[in-house]
Amino acid sequence: DDGSCLTVYGCTDSTACNYNSSATCDDGSCLTVFGCTDSTALNYNIFSSCNDGSCIYLASDLFISEYAEGSGYNKYIEIYNGTGSPVNLSTYQIWKITNGGNWPEDTLNLNGILAHDDIYIIYHSNADSLIVLAGDITWTQANWNGNDAVGLAKNGILIDALGSDGPNPGSGGWDVAGITNATKDHTLVRKCSVIIGDTNWVLSAGSDSISSQWLVLLQNDWMDLGNHTYPCSGATIYGCM
């Protein structure tokens, strides 16, 4: 025996997801096809052998997909259903706090059936005609001015929020994505990667454009009104066509 025996079998390809740095003999087990390997995901790839973290899932509940604090009465909030099934809105409410306080000071009971991949818009009756045309229900309390928190509740429990309870944040409102006073004189659109509401406003708002769950648009920018992108564009969804 000259000491040259190779006895540790495994995958010796460093580009494979099951690469074994201790292996001395390749046993043909290397897995090199990357993709989503979770069969419950929207983009499950039956041909993938290595999960690359790209799996996309249905939303677990409704969430706020857009908020506008426009000029005059051009105010609205948009709710999105990405759960995969129609949702009865009778168990949901919109909550609002004016100039600081505790949840909820004002409530709006929702009603109707919201189809999968559809949106529901709550708006002020004196809003621009484009908002009125796309809207579903008016609310006199849709008159926020940046420092008024707005939330979505289910069965009396807050499940998503824009802003927070507590002290008045000031006339400029809250910062979002590193932009000062972004809840005032801006339109906020939820990123396409978000699949669930978040009542932790600090995490939701984020500290910069990367960590934030929101895209901050200019005031009176309603180009995204009436639709919501989910999942993100370019995501491949596998299934029978």
Side-chain angles (χ1 to χ4, degrees):
D1 194 325
D2 61 1
S4 63
C5 294
L6 303 176
T7 57
V8 181
Y9 291 87
C11 175
T12 60
D13 184 350
S14 61
T15 65
C17 61
N18 62 330
Y19 167 62
N20 184 353
S21 61
S22 300
T24 54
C25 294
D26 197 300
D27 61 0
S29 65
C30 292
L31 303 175
T32 57
V33 181
F34 290 84
C36 175
T37 60
D38 187 346
S39 61
T40 66
L42 293 175
N43 60 331
Y44 168 60
N45 185 351
I46 192 174
F47 303 108
S48 295
S49 54
C50 303
N51 197 317
D52 59 2
S54 64
C55 293
I56 298 170
Y57 299 91
L58 289 168
S60 60
D61 211 327
L62 307 185
F63 59 84
I64 300 170
S65 54
E66 190 166 335
Y67 156 97
E69 203 289 288
S71 59
Y73 286 103
N74 297 321
K75 329 283 187 180
Y76 64 83
I77 188 169
E78 181 184 275
I79 308 301
Y80 175 70
N81 176 15
T83 65
S85 303
V87 171
N88 189 329
L89 297 176
S90 63
T91 59
Y92 293 84
Q93 291 180 319
I94 300 298
W95 289 2
K96 179 190 171 189
I97 298 174
T98 303
N99 300 332
N102 299 314
W103 297 109
E105 291 181 352
D106 297 289
T107 63
L108 172 68
N109 295 318
L110 303 184
N111 59 76
I113 303 296
L114 184 60
H116 167 65
D117 199 32
D118 200 2
I119 52 88
Y120 192 86
I121 299 172
I122 299 94
Y123 65 101
H124 196 282
S125 59
N126 292 329
D128 183 275
S129 59
L130 291 176
I131 298 175
V132 174
L133 184 63
D136 292 283
I137 187 172
T138 62
W139 191 28
T140 57
Q141 289 300 320
N143 58 357
W144 35 80
N145 292 302
N147 60 346
D148 305 325
V150 184
L152 173 66
K154 180 181 182 181
N155 293 320
I157 299 174
L158 191 69
I159 62 173
D160 199 9
L162 200 147
S164 65
D165 58 352
N168 187 340
S171 59
W174 289 275
D175 299 346
V176 182
I179 297 177
T180 303
N181 300 337
T183 54
K184 181 178 177 63
D185 299 335
H186 289 92
T187 296
L188 305 183
V189 176
R190 210 71 174 262
K191 290 181 178 178
C192 60
S193 57
V194 176
I195 64 172
I196 189 171
D198 195 340
T199 58
N200 187 327
W201 176 238
V202 174
L203 294 179
S204 178
S207 58
D208 53 34
S209 61
I210 303 300
S211 61
S212 179
Q213 297 179 12
W214 302 88
L215 302 174
V216 181
L217 309 181
L218 296 177
Q219 187 181 38
N220 297 336
D221 185 338
W222 311 315
M223 293 298 294
D224 198 58
L225 176 65
N227 65 86
H228 180 64
T229 301
Y230 177 78
C232 294
S233 298
T236 301
I237 299 176
Y238 292 86
C240 177
M241 300 173 61

